[in-house]
Structure formats: structure tokens, C-alpha cells
């Protein structure tokens, strides 16, 4: 049997920033007071992001936490280990235990310079953080062996579940002497998520290492599972690939949330990232033969379909008007128009065209893709290759190069239109679909 001390990490204490990252990015004192009230006999922990905190900030961030918080953990980039150790020493003098969460474990595993720096670290715990979710049990064994050569500070492990090895790695960490391991109910955590608390407890119970009563576990797991349906975490093929090749999963999370790319596109981007070489299609460059007076940019909102007759009437009355489709969703509605029509393609948009290509004539359409390199990959059906052109550059907007709307406005700018009408840009109900918040902000 083993003895377990439950430590509850509530969230971050952070300096004010312009963006809002939620209540638990700041852990206001009333939240910590409530946590202490609910958990009078448990250790309570807050996190500081070391890159954003200096010694002069500790008065504001930590002094109000006295008596409410037992431990402070520092999220540490391995390049900043020496600076983090100074911060850790100061925090310890203020009466808190300190744990250093050293991120990007796969990057420092075999780095003797980093191991040398560990010898001078001052902390109560050093936790190995598998930031990319790409560590294997043998890596755990090797890392612990090397770390114990230079320091006697107790070790911990924090696993991500990209390769579904969080449990195996944590078991290995425990077997090799780690005294602190991290887990969350249902594996709740951004992207691929973390080790499931209930899975770890079940394993330990099955090995007679603890005597665990499951009575209270079922109800809280059910509650977290309902949250998971809303916020989506857990591994998938793209997360597995990002883990296997130690690639940042932040980009993968963004690509998945936008619903703009197929799994194939995301995998293609990850493969390009791994090889450090962009995809190239050899598509002919786009050039204009004449400028236009009026342009209508058609978005994918339901109003484009609901009021398609209005655009048709407008187009018949203005035959020189050019129509630019920011995506392929409604191109079939306007196939009979004689107006010049451009269609913006990005990621998996071409895949959505397959039913249309089987039944429709595309002769009146010109298809435009973003400039090389196409890191995400672009699906271009063979039937439209001769009508597909690549922009030379995106010069109008710098912030959102992989946006259908950016491509549409870039075409409009090149055509030097005097009037641009927007049709079918309904926006997003982010209360119903928070995953589309980034796309909504992008369109704004």
C-alpha cells in the first residue's frame, strides 16, 4: 500500500493582461477562500507562469494568498531554469512550498547542459512536464536516472495524453520514485488532455496499492463528461502526430476549432512542419485582365441561401458585377449567372465540391488559392486544376493569412473595385458554438 496526499491545483495567479482567460487565470482571493473552505484538510496550489513574473511582482501575486495557499508551482521554460530558481528561492522564504514544472521534457531529456543547471536549483519539487505528449516510459526511466545524479530534490511528472501513454508514463514515474504525479477528472485539459484521475485511481486500487471507495467518483465523472461535450478535449489523430514529433499542439487546437480543415489537411501541415519544408503545387499565378466597379463577396451564412434570389436579381441588373465566394458552400446556387465568379479555396474546401463537380458545369468559375507555401495543404479536385490560380501574395491583411475572407478581400483589392458588397456574412452564435469564437473574431 502507498500513502496518498491529495493536492488541489486551482489555477493561475497572474498579472493583468488585455485578453480574458477566465476567472482561474487570476484566482481572485474570494475563489481561494472558497477553496480553503471546501478543502480545509487538503493542500491547495496555485500556478505562476515564470516567463511573466518577476521578483517585484510577488508582493501583489502571493502576499494575499498567505494562509490560503500551501504550494506555488512555476511553469518554467527550460531555457529560463536559472532565473526560475531565483524566483523559487524567494517564494520559499515567504512560507510557500515550491514546485518547478519544467516544460518541454522531450527537448531537455538528453541535454547535459540542462542537467548541469538542475544541480543549482532550489525547490521542494521538480516536475517533468511532457508538454507535447510524446514521451515514452523508457524516457521517464532515463530522465529520472540522470536527474538523480545531480539533485536530491523530490521529483514529479505531468503527462499529456497525445499518444495515450499518460497512464503508462505515470506508472513508470511512480515505480521509479516520483513523489508527485498530476491527473485531472476525465483527463480534462486543453488539446489532447491529461491523465484521467479515475483511471489512475482504478489502477492503484486494482494493484492493492490503495483502498479506494468509488461512491463519490461516479457523479463527478458524469459531471465532467457533460463539460467535455461542450469544451472538447481528448486525443485524436492530429494530436497523436503532434505528440509523436514533439510539435506544439496549440496550432492543432486552433485548426480543429476553426472546422476549416480536414484531418488530412492537419496531418499534412504537421508532416510539413516535421520536415520543415512547405508543400508546393505548381499552380499558375493569378493576374487580372481588367479592373471592376462592383464586387459581391458571398459568405457561408444561411442568409446567402435564404436570399439567393436577391443576389440573382442584383447580378442580372448589374452584369459587370463580379461575385467572389469566400468558400464553396453556395456556389451551386448561382451557377446559371453570367457574371464572372471567383471561388476561394483553402484547406478542405475543395473536398466539399465533389458532389457539385459531379452534377454541375464549372466553366464560369475561377478558383483562387492562397500563396505558397501551403503549409496546411489544399485539396484541389482534378476537374478544376486548369481553372485554379494562386495568389502571388497576401498584402492586404497580415494577421489572418489562412482565412477565406482574407483571400476574398485580396482578390477584391487586386480588382480595384470601388464598391464591395457583403452577402451571407451572418456571423456566429458563439454562445452556442464557443469553438467558433476565433473565427468570429477573425471575421470581425
Amino acid at each position: 500500500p502507498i500513502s496518498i496526499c491529495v493536492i488541489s491545483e486551482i489555477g493561475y495567479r497572474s498579472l493583468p493582461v488585455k485578453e480574458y482567460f477566465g476567472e482561474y487565470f487570476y484566482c481572485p482571493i474570494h475563489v481561494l477562500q472558497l477553496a480553503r473552505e471546501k478543502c480545509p484538510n487538503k493542500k491547495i496550489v496555485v500556478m505562476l507562469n515564470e516567463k511573466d513574473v518577476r521578483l517585484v511582482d510577488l508582493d501583489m501575486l502571493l502576499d494575499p494568498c498567505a494562509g490560503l495557499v500551501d504550494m506555488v508551482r512555476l511553469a518554467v521554460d527550460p531555457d529560463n531554469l536559472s532565473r526560475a530558481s531565483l524566483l523559487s528561492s524567494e517564494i520559499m522564504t515567504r512560507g510557500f512550498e515550491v514546485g518547478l514544472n519544467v516544460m518541454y521534457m522531450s527537448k531537455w531529456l538528453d541535454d547535459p547542459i540542462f542537467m548541469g543547471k538542475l544541480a543549482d536549483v532550489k525547490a521542494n519539487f521538480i516536475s517533468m512536464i511532457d508538454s507535447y505528449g510524446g514521451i515514452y516510459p523508457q524516457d521517464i526511466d532515463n530522465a529520472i536516472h540522470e536527474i538523480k545524479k545531480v539533485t536530491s530534490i523530490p521529483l514529479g511528472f505531468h503527462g499529456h495524453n497525445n499518444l495515450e501513454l499518460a497512464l503508462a508514463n505515470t506508472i513508470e514515474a511512480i515505480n521509479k520514485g516520483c513523489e508527485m504525479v498530476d491527473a485531472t477528472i476525465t483527463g480534462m485539459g486543453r488539446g489532447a488532455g491529461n491523465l484521467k484521475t479515475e483511471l489512475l485511481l482504478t489502477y492503484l486500487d486494482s494493484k492493492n496499492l490503495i483502498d479506494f471507495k468509488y461512491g463519490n467518483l461516479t457523479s463527478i465523472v458524469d459531471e465532467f463528461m457533460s463539460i467535455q461535450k461542450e469544451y472538447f478535449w481528448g486525443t485524436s489523430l492530429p494530436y497523436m502526430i503532434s505528440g509523436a514529433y514533439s510539435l506544439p499542439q496549440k496550432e492543432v487546437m486552433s485548426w480543429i476549432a476553426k472546422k476549416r480543415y480536414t484531418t488530412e489537411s492537419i496531418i499534412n501541415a504537421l508532416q510539413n512542419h516535421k520536415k520543415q519544408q512547405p508543400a508546393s503545387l505548381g499552380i499558375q499565378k493569378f493576374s487580372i485582365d481588367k479592373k471592376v466597379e462592383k464586387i459581391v463577396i458571398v459568405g457561408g451564412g444561411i442568409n446567402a441561401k435564404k436570399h439567393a434570389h436577391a443576389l440573382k436579381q442584383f447580378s442580372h441588373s448589374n452584369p459587370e458585377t463580379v461575385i467572389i465566394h469566400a468558400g464553396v458552400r453556395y456556389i451551386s446556387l448561382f451557377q446559371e449567372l453570367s457574371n464572372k465568379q471567383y471561388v476561394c479555396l483553402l484547406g478542405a474546401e475543395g473536398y466539399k465540391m465533389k458532389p457539385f463537380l459531379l452534377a454541375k458545369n464549372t466553366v464560369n468559375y475561377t478558383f483562387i488559392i492562397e500563396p505558397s507555401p501551403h503549409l496546411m495543404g489544399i485539396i484541389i479536385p482534378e476537374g478544376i486544376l486548369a481553372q485554379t490560380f494562386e495568389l502571388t501574395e497576401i498584402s492586404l491583411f497580415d494577421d489572418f493569412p489562412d482565412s477565406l475572407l482574407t483571400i476574398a478581400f485580396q482578390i477584391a483589392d487586386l480588382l480595384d473595385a470601388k464598391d464591395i458588397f457583403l452577402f451571407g456574412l451572418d456571423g456566429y452564435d458563439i454562445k452556442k458554438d464557443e469553438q467558433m469564437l476565433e473565427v468570429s473574431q477573425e471575421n470581425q
Side-chain angles (χ1 to χ4, degrees), residues 303-318:
N303 277 313
K305 182 178 181 179
K306 188 182 295 184
H307 303 294
H309 63 281
L311 180 55
K312 291 177 183 178
Q313 183 175 343
F314 179 84
S315 300
H316 285 308
S317 302
N318 298 271

Side-chain angles (χ1 to χ4, degrees), residues 139-156:
D139 297 322
I140 301 288
D141 191 7
N142 294 341
I144 292 176
H145 178 74
E146 293 301 317
I147 292 172
K148 285 189 173 181
K149 289 181 180 179
V150 298
T151 183
S152 59
I153 295 174
L155 301 181

